[in-house]
């Protein structure tokens, strides 16, 4: 935010965006969490324009990017214009692309995009009403153990997941969960996003799933 203000850039040229997994400390990401990152001058804004119009400050910013050879980076040099961004929807669930131990899964409750530090998990529209239940499944011990069947282990015990690894991972049949259990899972979900996640909570989710 400080950089945007210093360069006299219009905040409307930018989208909220998470670039580092380490910036997310909680299992649920809320607006106040974004505000906290912004106040600590974290890099949480992504330029999101397709043309420069007549804004002299925006043009200067782009020129500085060229001077620093940002436009020659692998992904950017293949874009037209190079400073444009791929257009994608905000994802309700983020899954880290690498981990040691537990897979980091975040429930995104904001209008914030994510870069490749997380994989975007979009829920098929048919099952959108189960988004919170699916999130609970993904953080449960059972869900984690099933996803890890598709892991690729790198040096030093680092586990990597490509989008295809997650797409091909098996999941439970959520449609057969009865209404009483769904109510209990949603109750637990509310507790989790309010900061009440512990081993007892995970055990209760495992029992339900």
């Amino acid at each position: 935010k400080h950089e945007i203000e210093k360069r006299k850039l219009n905040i409307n040229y930018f989208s909220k965006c998470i670039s580092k997994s380490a910036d997310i400390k909680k299992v649920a990401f809320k607006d106040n969490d974004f505000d906290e990152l912004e106040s600590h001058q974290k890099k949480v804004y992504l330029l999101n324009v397709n043309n420069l119009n007549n804004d002299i400050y925006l043009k200067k910013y782009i020129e500085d990017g060229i001077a620093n050879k940002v436009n020659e980076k692998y992904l950017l040099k293949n874009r037209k214009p190079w400073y444009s961004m791929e257009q994608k929807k905000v994802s309700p669930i983020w899954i880290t692309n690498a981990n040691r131990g537990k897979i980091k899964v975040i429930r995104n409750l904001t209008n914030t995009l994510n870069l490749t530090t997380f994989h975007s998990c979009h829920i098929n529209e048919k099952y959108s009403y189960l988004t919170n239940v699916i999130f609970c499944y993904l953080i449960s011990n059972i869900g984690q153990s099933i996803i890890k069947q598709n892991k690729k282990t790198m040096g030093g015990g680092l586990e990597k997941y490509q989008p295809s690894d997650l797409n091909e991972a098996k999941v439970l049949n959520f449609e057969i969960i009865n209404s009483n259990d769904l109510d209990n899972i949603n109750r637990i979900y509310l507790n989790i996003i309010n900061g009440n996640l512990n081993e007892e909570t995970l055990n209760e989710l495992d029992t339900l799933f």
Side-chain angles (χ1 to χ4, degrees):
K1 183 71 175 296
H2 173 72
E3 183 76 9
I4 292 172
E5 292 171 345
K6 184 178 72 173
R7 289 177 172 269
K8 299 181 181 179
L9 294 163
N10 189 329
I11 192 71
N12 293 324
Y13 295 150
F14 295 82
S15 295
K16 294 179 178 181
C17 187
I18 294 300
S19 60
K20 294 181 179 179
S21 173
D23 286 341
I24 310 301
K25 307 294 185 184
K26 303 173 185 175
V27 73
F29 186 66
K30 304 177 182 179
D31 288 325
N32 63 304
D33 297 312
F34 180 89
D35 294 341
E36 184 176 351
L37 291 175
E38 180 190 65
S39 69
H40 286 90
Q41 300 303 328
K42 297 291 186 178
K43 293 183 178 180
V44 290
Y45 284 101
L46 180 70
L47 184 68
N48 196 355
V49 295
N50 288 312
N51 62 76
L52 302 183
N53 54 60
N54 292 315
D55 190 313
I56 59 172
Y57 298 109
L58 179 58
K59 287 182 178 179
K60 177 65 168 61
Y61 186 52
I62 296 299
E63 288 168 1
D64 287 348
I66 294 172
N68 290 312
K69 298 185 178 181
V70 177
N71 59 314
E72 296 179 13
K73 291 189 175 182
Y74 178 74
L75 289 177
L76 301 187
K77 68 181 180 182
N78 293 308
R79 292 181 181 166
K80 293 182 180 180
W82 66 267
Y83 52 80
S84 63
M85 287 302 304
E86 61 176 333
Q87 299 302 305
K88 65 177 185 179
K89 296 179 180 178
V90 170
S91 170
I93 298 173
W94 300 332
I95 303 177
T96 189
N97 58 25
N99 66 277
R100 285 185 173 87
K102 194 169 181 64
I103 303 167
K104 190 173 183 178
V105 179
I106 307 296
R107 179 70 170 95
N108 178 26
L109 297 170
T110 72
N111 191 35
T112 306
L113 296 168
N114 59 289
L115 294 185
T116 54
T117 188
F118 287 110
H119 293 310
S120 301
C121 180
H122 295 279
I123 310 301
N124 186 298
E125 187 176 347
K126 178 182 177 182
Y127 302 104
S128 60
Y129 73 100
L130 288 169
T131 298
N132 297 335
V133 173
I134 293 172
F135 164 73
C136 286
Y137 165 76
L138 292 171
I139 66 171
S140 72
N141 296 317
I142 285 177
Q144 296 256 326
S145 65
I146 293 175
I147 295 172
K148 285 191 173 190
Q149 293 174 12
N150 280 33
K151 72 182 178 183
K152 291 181 177 65
T153 304
M154 316 298 283
L158 183 69
E159 298 173 354
K160 289 276 290 183
Y161 298 88
Q162 298 297 334
S164 58
D165 298 329
L166 297 175
N167 286 338
E168 294 168 8
K170 294 180 179 180
V171 296
L172 301 182
N173 181 356
F174 298 106
E175 292 183 305
I176 66 171
I177 301 176
N178 64 51
S179 58
N180 185 56
D181 284 347
L182 284 177
D183 287 343
N184 279 319
I185 294 168
N186 280 306
R187 171 184 55 79
I188 294 171
Y189 165 78
L190 291 175
N191 285 331
I192 290 172
I193 65 170
N194 286 320
N196 300 314
L197 177 60
N198 51 45
E199 200 60 38
E200 184 179 344
T201 304
L202 292 175
N203 289 336
E204 191 173 1
L205 283 177
D206 286 338
T207 298
L208 288 162
F209 286 125

